Amino acid sequence: MIAKLFRLVRDTVIRYPAIMAGYLIYMYYFFVTLDFYENLKLAHFTSSDFLTHFDAVFWMWLLCYAFVKILSYREKTHLHE
């Protein structure tokens, strides 16, 4: 049962890497936003905290760029085969 589930997840990630990339990027953004709102609610928020929480936008852009490059490289290798 667990081996079947692992195989299904592995095959899905190999076939559709953009889905996994989307999950990773949006999970990262979700947790950063949750932390930001928790600090805002508890009034532990300073002006520098804004930059530490919303640097996530830069990292999300960087992750997206890296995944797009990986996908384009993978597509080029499939075209050569």
Side-chain angles (χ1 to χ4, degrees):
M1 175 74 177
I2 294 175
K4 259 186 179 177
L5 182 65
F6 178 72
R7 229 178 292 126
L8 176 68
V9 170
R10 184 193 65 197
D11 293 343
T12 303
V13 170
I14 289 172
R15 251 186 272 152
Y16 310 106
I19 292 173
M20 186 64 187
Y23 280 125
L24 288 174
I25 290 166
Y26 284 112
M27 277 187 352
Y28 177 72
Y29 180 69
F30 176 72
F31 287 119
V32 167
T33 307
L34 278 179
D35 188 42
F36 171 74
Y37 285 125
E38 182 181 343
N39 286 346
L40 189 64
K41 185 178 123 185
L42 297 174
H44 295 294
F45 189 71
T46 63
S47 60
S48 65
D49 285 341
F50 180 79
L51 295 175
T52 59
H53 283 85
F54 285 99
D55 69 336
V57 175
F58 171 73
W59 291 113
M60 284 176 45
W61 177 82
L62 192 62
L63 282 171
C64 291
Y65 182 77
F67 283 124
V68 166
K69 288 296 181 183
I70 290 169
L71 291 175
S72 67
Y73 174 74
R74 187 170 175 213
E75 184 178 333
K76 287 179 187 176
T77 58
H78 283 298
L79 289 176
H80 287 291
E81 289 178 357

